[in-house]
Amino acid sequence: DTGVSQNPRHKITKRGQNVTFRCDPISEHNRLYWYRQTLGQGPEFLTYFQNEAQLEKSRLLSDRFSAERPKGSFSTLEIQRTEQGDSAMYLCASSPGGGVGTDTQYFGPGTRLTVL
Amino acid sequence: AQSVTQLGSHVSVSEGALVLLRCNYSSSVPPYLFWYVQYPNQGLQLLLKYTSAATLVKGINGFEAEFKKSETSFHLTKPSAHMSDAAEYFCAVSDRPYGNNRLAFGKGNQVVVIP
């Protein structure tokens, strides 16, 4: 069990550019979540995958954001035409599924995005 | 929507003293409650969780939390603080036991341990 990994760890971009982040969940975890964490705040839910299906998106996820999880393995989060307000830590978590009593979300180290 | 409130963004505690972090929840259904810890430049690590079994929950690193329905609280405690406890702590709630188990987090408590 190598844990959830995220790449890159840091990304600095100019306003208007597109960026893509990758998340590799723990092997055989069928649930995958994306959260966004801004300075001084707790993480906020963005979207959720059950295997390859994206089943829920938060209102925080504007049309400039898109997430995929092809084949139910790794996931990517793309932000188009970045804005300074997109600067945040983007966290990925995976869980094995089942009820809350057995389902725990394991978080990756996050990707810190800075939009200049 | 379910939510949690954590008061006091920064908490200072002397080494060896009691650590107490407060969390109050708002939920229209029986909640599932979690405490996570985040060390600098790392992801969140689960400390403990309440899932409607025992109201006193023991977690890792000597932490425990007690669910009190009458007070809508789930406070985190540790009898004796250690320097390694310096980190940010988040309380979270989920109202969905199956399917999308998305979490709603509080703003967090930054714990500083004074030698």
Side-chain angles (χ1 to χ4, degrees):
Chain A
D1 182 353
T2 58
V4 178
S5 62
Q6 292 186 247
N7 289 288
R9 294 290 308 276
H10 303 273
K11 179 69 176 180
I12 300 174
T13 191
K14 293 182 179 180
R15 187 180 55 182
Q17 297 295 305
N18 299 342
V19 294
T20 300
F21 311 141
R22 176 176 170 130
C23 170
D24 287 90
I26 293 173
S27 178
E28 298 182 357
H29 277 192
N30 56 36
R31 294 180 181 176
L32 188 145
Y33 303 80
W34 285 98
Y35 292 84
R36 181 172 68 185
Q37 184 179 19
T38 54
L39 201 61
Q41 302 294 321
E44 296 173 292
F45 169 78
L46 291 179
T47 190
Y48 159 72
F49 289 85
Q50 175 85 25
N51 298 312
E52 68 275 10
Q54 186 177 19
L55 298 183
E56 186 167 351
K57 294 191 292 186
S58 163
R59 286 172 294 178
L60 293 175
L61 215 62
S62 75
D63 292 343
R64 297 184 297 105
F65 288 70
S66 63
E68 296 182 340
R69 192 183 182 197
K71 302 180 182 179
S73 57
F74 71 91
S75 176
T76 58
L77 178 67
E78 180 182 16
I79 309 174
Q80 296 182 329
R81 304 181 303 282
T82 53
E83 302 173 356
Q84 288 184 328
D86 297 331
S87 296
M89 176 77 83
Y90 290 84
L91 296 166
C92 176
S94 71
S95 69
V100 171
T102 56
D103 194 40
T104 296
Q105 291 184 36
Y106 296 87
F107 283 80
T111 295
R112 182 169 295 284
L113 172 66
T114 302
V115 182
L116 301 177
Chain B
Q2 320 315 315
S3 65
V4 293
T5 301
Q6 294 179 251
L7 297 178
S9 60
H10 286 76
V11 176
S12 294
V13 59
S14 297
E15 189 176 14
L18 171 72
V19 179
L20 170 61
L21 302 180
R22 300 179 186 275
C23 174
N24 288 88
Y25 68 88
S26 173
S27 176
S28 58
V29 298
Y32 298 90
L33 295 158
F34 306 79
W35 276 99
Y36 280 85
V37 61
Q38 187 176 32
Y39 297 100
N41 299 316
Q42 295 187 27
L44 280 71
Q45 179 182 8
L46 181 70
L47 278 176
L48 49 79
K49 60 184 179 184
Y50 167 76
T51 56
S52 75
T55 56
L56 182 62
V57 182
K58 294 187 183 298
I60 63 171
N61 302 338
F63 284 94
E64 64 180 37
E66 186 172 9
F67 173 74
K68 292 186 176 180
K69 183 178 178 181
S70 61
E71 299 179 7
T72 61
S73 69
F74 190 57
H75 301 333
L76 181 72
T77 60
K78 181 175 180 178
S80 177
H82 190 272
M83 295 300 293
S84 62
D85 295 326
E88 190 152 23
Y89 293 78
F90 294 96
C91 182
V93 62
S94 171
D95 63 335
R96 304 184 184 189
Y98 301 101
N100 180 359
N101 189 18
R102 69 181 183 183
L103 299 174
F105 287 85
K107 292 186 176 182
N109 293 122
Q110 183 69 50
V111 172
V112 175
V113 182
I114 303 168

mmCIF file with all atom_site columns, all heavy atoms in Angstrom, chain A residues 76-95:
data_model
loop_
_atom_site.group_PDB
_atom_site.id
_atom_site.type_symbol
_atom_site.label_atom_id
_atom_site.label_alt_id
_atom_site.label_comp_id
_atom_site.label_asym_id
_atom_site.label_entity_id
_atom_site.label_seq_id
_atom_site.pdbx_PDB_ins_code
_atom_site.Cartn_x
_atom_site.Cartn_y
_atom_site.Cartn_z
_atom_site.occupancy
_atom_site.B_iso_or_equiv
_atom_site.pdbx_formal_charge
_atom_site.auth_seq_id
_atom_site.auth_comp_id
_atom_site.auth_asym_id
_atom_site.auth_atom_id
_atom_site.pdbx_PDB_model_num
ATOM 1   N N   . THR A 1 76 ? -7.767  12.690 -13.310 1.00 0.00 ? 76 THR A N   1
ATOM 2   C CA  . THR A 1 76 ? -7.178  13.990 -13.627 1.00 0.00 ? 76 THR A CA  1
ATOM 3   C C   . THR A 1 76 ? -8.198  15.085 -13.366 1.00 0.00 ? 76 THR A C   1
ATOM 4   O O   . THR A 1 76 ? -9.407  14.892 -13.539 1.00 0.00 ? 76 THR A O   1
ATOM 5   C CB  . THR A 1 76 ? -6.719  14.061 -15.093 1.00 0.00 ? 76 THR A CB  1
ATOM 6   O OG1 . THR A 1 76 ? -7.838  13.815 -15.950 1.00 0.00 ? 76 THR A OG1 1
ATOM 7   C CG2 . THR A 1 76 ? -5.619  13.043 -15.374 1.00 0.00 ? 76 THR A CG2 1
ATOM 8   N N   . LEU A 1 77 ? -7.685  16.217 -12.946 1.00 0.00 ? 77 LEU A N   1
ATOM 9   C CA  . LEU A 1 77 ? -8.495  17.415 -12.745 1.00 0.00 ? 77 LEU A CA  1
ATOM 10  C C   . LEU A 1 77 ? -7.879  18.513 -13.591 1.00 0.00 ? 77 LEU A C   1
ATOM 11  O O   . LEU A 1 77 ? -6.697  18.840 -13.424 1.00 0.00 ? 77 LEU A O   1
ATOM 12  C CB  . LEU A 1 77 ? -8.508  17.817 -11.274 1.00 0.00 ? 77 LEU A CB  1
ATOM 13  C CG  . LEU A 1 77 ? -9.282  19.104 -10.923 1.00 0.00 ? 77 LEU A CG  1
ATOM 14  C CD1 . LEU A 1 77 ? -10.778 18.897 -11.146 1.00 0.00 ? 77 LEU A CD1 1
ATOM 15  C CD2 . LEU A 1 77 ? -9.028  19.520 -9.470  1.00 0.00 ? 77 LEU A CD2 1
ATOM 16  N N   . GLU A 1 78 ? -8.643  19.049 -14.519 1.00 0.00 ? 78 GLU A N   1
ATOM 17  C CA  . GLU A 1 78 ? -8.152  20.092 -15.405 1.00 0.00 ? 78 GLU A CA  1
ATOM 18  C C   . GLU A 1 78 ? -8.876  21.397 -15.109 1.00 0.00 ? 78 GLU A C   1
ATOM 19  O O   . GLU A 1 78 ? -10.088 21.415 -14.913 1.00 0.00 ? 78 GLU A O   1
ATOM 20  C CB  . GLU A 1 78 ? -8.349  19.721 -16.878 1.00 0.00 ? 78 GLU A CB  1
ATOM 21  C CG  . GLU A 1 78 ? -7.830  20.813 -17.822 1.00 0.00 ? 78 GLU A CG  1
ATOM 22  C CD  . GLU A 1 78 ? -8.060  20.503 -19.291 1.00 0.00 ? 78 GLU A CD  1
ATOM 23  O OE1 . GLU A 1 78 ? -8.871  19.607 -19.595 1.00 0.00 ? 78 GLU A OE1 1
ATOM 24  O OE2 . GLU A 1 78 ? -7.438  21.179 -20.129 1.00 0.00 ? 78 GLU A OE2 1
ATOM 25  N N   . ILE A 1 79 ? -8.119  22.460 -15.073 1.00 0.00 ? 79 ILE A N   1
ATOM 26  C CA  . ILE A 1 79 ? -8.685  23.798 -14.928 1.00 0.00 ? 79 ILE A CA  1
ATOM 27  C C   . ILE A 1 79 ? -8.307  24.584 -16.183 1.00 0.00 ? 79 ILE A C   1
ATOM 28  O O   . ILE A 1 79 ? -7.118  24.741 -16.496 1.00 0.00 ? 79 ILE A O   1
ATOM 29  C CB  . ILE A 1 79 ? -8.167  24.538 -13.685 1.00 0.00 ? 79 ILE A CB  1
ATOM 30  C CG1 . ILE A 1 79 ? -8.325  23.668 -12.438 1.00 0.00 ? 79 ILE A CG1 1
ATOM 31  C CG2 . ILE A 1 79 ? -8.926  25.850 -13.508 1.00 0.00 ? 79 ILE A CG2 1
ATOM 32  C CD1 . ILE A 1 79 ? -7.699  24.284 -11.180 1.00 0.00 ? 79 ILE A CD1 1
ATOM 33  N N   . GLN A 1 80 ? -9.298  25.050 -16.888 1.00 0.00 ? 80 GLN A N   1
ATOM 34  C CA  . GLN A 1 80 ? -9.057  25.852 -18.090 1.00 0.00 ? 80 GLN A CA  1
ATOM 35  C C   . GLN A 1 80 ? -9.127  27.340 -17.745 1.00 0.00 ? 80 GLN A C   1
ATOM 36  O O   . GLN A 1 80 ? -9.878  27.751 -16.856 1.00 0.00 ? 80 GLN A O   1
ATOM 37  C CB  . GLN A 1 80 ? -10.083 25.514 -19.166 1.00 0.00 ? 80 GLN A CB  1
ATOM 38  C CG  . GLN A 1 80 ? -9.987  24.071 -19.651 1.00 0.00 ? 80 GLN A CG  1
ATOM 39  C CD  . GLN A 1 80 ? -10.991 23.774 -20.745 1.00 0.00 ? 80 GLN A CD  1
ATOM 40  O OE1 . GLN A 1 80 ? -12.078 24.345 -20.788 1.00 0.00 ? 80 GLN A OE1 1
ATOM 41  N NE2 . GLN A 1 80 ? -10.626 22.886 -21.656 1.00 0.00 ? 80 GLN A NE2 1
ATOM 42  N N   . ARG A 1 81 ? -8.345  28.119 -18.468 1.00 0.00 ? 81 ARG A N   1
ATOM 43  C CA  . ARG A 1 81 ? -8.364  29.590 -18.314 1.00 0.00 ? 81 ARG A CA  1
ATOM 44  C C   . ARG A 1 81 ? -8.291  29.967 -16.835 1.00 0.00 ? 81 ARG A C   1
ATOM 45  O O   . ARG A 1 81 ? -9.182  30.610 -16.281 1.00 0.00 ? 81 ARG A O   1
ATOM 46  C CB  . ARG A 1 81 ? -9.629  30.167 -18.951 1.00 0.00 ? 81 ARG A CB  1
ATOM 47  C CG  . ARG A 1 81 ? -9.800  29.780 -20.420 1.00 0.00 ? 81 ARG A CG  1
ATOM 48  C CD  . ARG A 1 81 ? -11.060 30.398 -21.022 1.00 0.00 ? 81 ARG A CD  1
ATOM 49  N NE  . ARG A 1 81 ? -12.268 30.036 -20.302 1.00 0.00 ? 81 ARG A NE  1
ATOM 50  C CZ  . ARG A 1 81 ? -12.910 28.885 -20.401 1.00 0.00 ? 81 ARG A CZ  1
ATOM 51  N NH1 . ARG A 1 81 ? -12.435 27.927 -21.181 1.00 0.00 ? 81 ARG A NH1 1
ATOM 52  N NH2 . ARG A 1 81 ? -14.025 28.672 -19.718 1.00 0.00 ? 81 ARG A NH2 1
ATOM 53  N N   . THR A 1 82 ? -7.216  29.566 -16.202 1.00 0.00 ? 82 THR A N   1
ATOM 54  C CA  . THR A 1 82 ? -7.081  29.757 -14.754 1.00 0.00 ? 82 THR A CA  1
ATOM 55  C C   . THR A 1 82 ? -7.240  31.214 -14.348 1.00 0.00 ? 82 THR A C   1
ATOM 56  O O   . THR A 1 82 ? -6.866  32.145 -15.085 1.00 0.00 ? 82 THR A O   1
ATOM 57  C CB  . THR A 1 82 ? -5.726  29.241 -14.251 1.00 0.00 ? 82 THR A CB  1
ATOM 58  O OG1 . THR A 1 82 ? -4.677  29.835 -15.029 1.00 0.00 ? 82 THR A OG1 1
ATOM 59  C CG2 . THR A 1 82 ? -5.647  27.729 -14.316 1.00 0.00 ? 82 THR A CG2 1
ATOM 60  N N   . GLU A 1 83 ? -7.782  31.404 -13.156 1.00 0.00 ? 83 GLU A N   1
ATOM 61  C CA  . GLU A 1 83 ? -7.963  32.722 -12.558 1.00 0.00 ? 83 GLU A CA  1
ATOM 62  C C   . GLU A 1 83 ? -7.221  32.747 -11.218 1.00 0.00 ? 83 GLU A C   1
ATOM 63  O O   . GLU A 1 83 ? -6.953  31.694 -10.638 1.00 0.00 ? 83 GLU A O   1
ATOM 64  C CB  . GLU A 1 83 ? -9.455  32.993 -12.334 1.00 0.00 ? 83 GLU A CB  1
ATOM 65  C CG  . GLU A 1 83 ? -10.282 32.930 -13.594 1.00 0.00 ? 83 GLU A CG  1
ATOM 66  C CD  . GLU A 1 83 ? -11.772 33.024 -13.321 1.00 0.00 ? 83 GLU A CD  1
ATOM 67  O OE1 . GLU A 1 83 ? -12.166 33.062 -12.129 1.00 0.00 ? 83 GLU A OE1 1
ATOM 68  O OE2 . GLU A 1 83 ? -12.558 33.072 -14.300 1.00 0.00 ? 83 GLU A OE2 1
ATOM 69  N N   . GLN A 1 84 ? -6.928  33.936 -10.731 1.00 0.00 ? 84 GLN A N   1
ATOM 70  C CA  . GLN A 1 84 ? -6.193  34.025 -9.474  1.00 0.00 ? 84 GLN A CA  1
ATOM 71  C C   . GLN A 1 84 ? -6.967  33.381 -8.325  1.00 0.00 ? 84 GLN A C   1
ATOM 72  O O   . GLN A 1 84 ? -6.380  32.833 -7.396  1.00 0.00 ? 84 GLN A O   1
ATOM 73  C CB  . GLN A 1 84 ? -5.865  35.483 -9.163  1.00 0.00 ? 84 GLN A CB  1
ATOM 74  C CG  . GLN A 1 84 ? -4.783  36.039 -10.087 1.00 0.00 ? 84 GLN A CG  1
ATOM 75  C CD  . GLN A 1 84 ? -4.382  37.458 -9.733  1.00 0.00 ? 84 GLN A CD  1
ATOM 76  O OE1 . GLN A 1 84 ? -5.192  38.249 -9.253  1.00 0.00 ? 84 GLN A OE1 1
ATOM 77  N NE2 . GLN A 1 84 ? -3.124  37.784 -9.976  1.00 0.00 ? 84 GLN A NE2 1
ATOM 78  N N   . GLY A 1 85 ? -8.266  33.402 -8.404  1.00 0.00 ? 85 GLY A N   1
ATOM 79  C CA  . GLY A 1 85 ? -9.098  32.774 -7.375  1.00 0.00 ? 85 GLY A CA  1
ATOM 80  C C   . GLY A 1 85 ? -9.001  31.260 -7.349  1.00 0.00 ? 85 GLY A C   1
ATOM 81  O O   . GLY A 1 85 ? -9.494  30.626 -6.417  1.00 0.00 ? 85 GLY A O   1
ATOM 82  N N   . ASP A 1 86 ? -8.369  30.686 -8.364  1.00 0.00 ? 86 ASP A N   1
ATOM 83  C CA  . ASP A 1 86 ? -8.191  29.234 -8.388  1.00 0.00 ? 86 ASP A CA  1
ATOM 84  C C   . ASP A 1 86 ? -6.997  28.806 -7.540  1.00 0.00 ? 86 ASP A C   1
ATOM 85  O O   . ASP A 1 86 ? -6.804  27.603 -7.317  1.00 0.00 ? 86 ASP A O   1
ATOM 86  C CB  . ASP A 1 86 ? -7.976  28.740 -9.818  1.00 0.00 ? 86 ASP A CB  1
ATOM 87  C CG  . ASP A 1 86 ? -9.176  28.990 -10.714 1.00 0.00 ? 86 ASP A CG  1
ATOM 88  O OD1 . ASP A 1 86 ? -10.318 29.016 -10.190 1.00 0.00 ? 86 ASP A OD1 1
ATOM 89  O OD2 . ASP A 1 86 ? -8.975  29.176 -11.926 1.00 0.00 ? 86 ASP A OD2 1
ATOM 90  N N   . SER A 1 87 ? -6.206  29.743 -7.096  1.00 0.00 ? 87 SER A N   1
ATOM 91  C CA  . SER A 1 87 ? -5.044  29.411 -6.268  1.00 0.00 ? 87 SER A CA  1
ATOM 92  C C   . SER A 1 87 ? -5.510  28.731 -4.992  1.00 0.00 ? 87 SER A C   1
ATOM 93  O O   . SER A 1 87 ? -6.323  29.278 -4.237  1.00 0.00 ? 87 SER A O   1
ATOM 94  C CB  . SER A 1 87 ? -4.257  30.678 -5.920  1.00 0.00 ? 87 SER A CB  1
ATOM 95  O OG  . SER A 1 87 ? -3.711  31.273 -7.071  1.00 0.00 ? 87 SER A OG  1
ATOM 96  N N   . ALA A 1 88 ? -5.011  27.526 -4.772  1.00 0.00 ? 88 ALA A N   1
ATOM 97  C CA  . ALA A 1 88 ? -5.455  26.708 -3.639  1.00 0.00 ? 88 ALA A CA  1
ATOM 98  C C   . ALA A 1 88 ? -4.645  25.420 -3.619  1.00 0.00 ? 88 ALA A C   1
ATOM 99  O O   . ALA A 1 88 ? -3.843  25.161 -4.503  1.00 0.00 ? 88 ALA A O   1
ATOM 100 C CB  . ALA A 1 88 ? -6.945  26.375 -3.766  1.00 0.00 ? 88 ALA A CB  1
ATOM 101 N N   . MET A 1 89 ? -4.908  24.625 -2.583  1.00 0.00 ? 89 MET A N   1
ATOM 102 C CA  . MET A 1 89 ? -4.388  23.259 -2.533  1.00 0.00 ? 89 MET A CA  1
ATOM 103 C C   . MET A 1 89 ? -5.497  22.339 -3.026  1.00 0.00 ? 89 MET A C   1
ATOM 104 O O   . MET A 1 89 ? -6.627  22.410 -2.529  1.00 0.00 ? 89 MET A O   1
ATOM 105 C CB  . MET A 1 89 ? -3.992  22.876 -1.105  1.00 0.00 ? 89 MET A CB  1
ATOM 106 C CG  . MET A 1 89 ? -3.536  21.443 -0.954  1.00 0.00 ? 89 MET A CG  1
ATOM 107 S SD  . MET A 1 89 ? -1.865  21.199 -1.541  1.00 0.00 ? 89 MET A SD  1
ATOM 108 C CE  . MET A 1 89 ? -0.975  21.728 -0.071  1.00 0.00 ? 89 MET A CE  1
ATOM 109 N N   . TYR A 1 90 ? -5.186  21.492 -3.984  1.00 0.00 ? 90 TYR A N   1
ATOM 110 C CA  . TYR A 1 90 ? -6.167  20.545 -4.512  1.00 0.00 ? 90 TYR A CA  1
ATOM 111 C C   . TYR A 1 90 ? -5.819  19.158 -3.965  1.00 0.00 ? 90 TYR A C   1
ATOM 112 O O   . TYR A 1 90 ? -4.745  18.622 -4.223  1.00 0.00 ? 90 TYR A O   1
ATOM 113 C CB  . TYR A 1 90 ? -6.187  20.575 -6.038  1.00 0.00 ? 90 TYR A CB  1
ATOM 114 C CG  . TYR A 1 90 ? -6.776  21.874 -6.532  1.00 0.00 ? 90 TYR A CG  1
ATOM 115 C CD1 . TYR A 1 90 ? -5.977  23.011 -6.660  1.00 0.00 ? 90 TYR A CD1 1
ATOM 116 C CD2 . TYR A 1 90 ? -8.130  21.982 -6.816  1.00 0.00 ? 90 TYR A CD2 1
ATOM 117 C CE1 . TYR A 1 90 ? -6.526  24.226 -7.064  1.00 0.00 ? 90 TYR A CE1 1
ATOM 118 C CE2 . TYR A 1 90 ? -8.680  23.193 -7.228  1.00 0.00 ? 90 TYR A CE2 1
ATOM 119 C CZ  . TYR A 1 90 ? -7.878  24.307 -7.332  1.00 0.00 ? 90 TYR A CZ  1
ATOM 120 O OH  . TYR A 1 90 ? -8.428  25.496 -7.723  1.00 0.00 ? 90 TYR A OH  1
ATOM 121 N N   . LEU A 1 91 ? -6.753  18.620 -3.199  1.00 0.00 ? 91 LEU A N   1
ATOM 122 C CA  . LEU A 1 91 ? -6.542  17.342 -2.521  1.00 0.00 ? 91 LEU A CA  1
ATOM 123 C C   . LEU A 1 91 ? -7.361  16.243 -3.171  1.00 0.00 ? 91 LEU A C   1
ATOM 124 O O   . LEU A 1 91 ? -8.512  16.444 -3.547  1.00 0.00 ? 91 LEU A O   1
ATOM 125 C CB  . LEU A 1 91 ? -6.959  17.450 -1.051  1.00 0.00 ? 91 LEU A CB  1
ATOM 126 C CG  . LEU A 1 91 ? -6.159  18.414 -0.185  1.00 0.00 ? 91 LEU A CG  1
ATOM 127 C CD1 . LEU A 1 91 ? -6.882  18.675 1.125   1.00 0.00 ? 91 LEU A CD1 1
ATOM 128 C CD2 . LEU A 1 91 ? -4.781  17.851 0.096   1.00 0.00 ? 91 LEU A CD2 1
ATOM 129 N N   . CYS A 1 92 ? -6.761  15.096 -3.255  1.00 0.00 ? 92 CYS A N   1
ATOM 130 C CA  . CYS A 1 92 ? -7.438  13.903 -3.762  1.00 0.00 ? 92 CYS A CA  1
ATOM 131 C C   . CYS A 1 92 ? -7.516  12.891 -2.628  1.00 0.00 ? 92 CYS A C   1
ATOM 132 O O   . CYS A 1 92 ? -6.592  12.779 -1.816  1.00 0.00 ? 92 CYS A O   1
ATOM 133 C CB  . CYS A 1 92 ? -6.650  13.335 -4.937  1.00 0.00 ? 92 CYS A CB  1
ATOM 134 S SG  . CYS A 1 92 ? -7.302  11.794 -5.607  1.00 0.00 ? 92 CYS A SG  1
ATOM 135 N N   . ALA A 1 93 ? -8.612  12.166 -2.574  1.00 0.00 ? 93 ALA A N   1
ATOM 136 C CA  . ALA A 1 93 ? -8.770  11.114 -1.572  1.00 0.00 ? 93 ALA A CA  1
ATOM 137 C C   . ALA A 1 93 ? -9.404  9.901  -2.229  1.00 0.00 ? 93 ALA A C   1
ATOM 138 O O   . ALA A 1 93 ? -10.168 10.035 -3.190  1.00 0.00 ? 93 ALA A O   1
ATOM 139 C CB  . ALA A 1 93 ? -9.638  11.597 -0.417  1.00 0.00 ? 93 ALA A CB  1
ATOM 140 N N   . SER A 1 94 ? -9.077  8.731  -1.725  1.00 0.00 ? 94 SER A N   1
ATOM 141 C CA  . SER A 1 94 ? -9.733  7.517  -2.218  1.00 0.00 ? 94 SER A CA  1
ATOM 142 C C   . SER A 1 94 ? -10.204 6.685  -1.039  1.00 0.00 ? 94 SER A C   1
ATOM 143 O O   . SER A 1 94 ? -9.702  6.824  0.081   1.00 0.00 ? 94 SER A O   1
ATOM 144 C CB  . SER A 1 94 ? -8.794  6.710  -3.115  1.00 0.00 ? 94 SER A CB  1
ATOM 145 O OG  . SER A 1 94 ? -7.749  6.101  -2.370  1.00 0.00 ? 94 SER A OG  1
ATOM 146 N N   . SER A 1 95 ? -11.198 5.853  -1.297  1.00 0.00 ? 95 SER A N   1
ATOM 147 C CA  . SER A 1 95 ? -11.719 4.978  -0.255  1.00 0.00 ? 95 SER A CA  1
ATOM 148 C C   . SER A 1 95 ? -12.177 3.667  -0.878  1.00 0.00 ? 95 SER A C   1
ATOM 149 O O   . SER A 1 95 ? -12.512 3.620  -2.064  1.00 0.00 ? 95 SER A O   1
ATOM 150 C CB  . SER A 1 95 ? -12.866 5.654  0.496   1.00 0.00 ? 95 SER A CB  1
ATOM 151 O OG  . SER A 1 95 ? -14.000 5.780  -0.325  1.00 0.00 ? 95 SER A OG  1
#
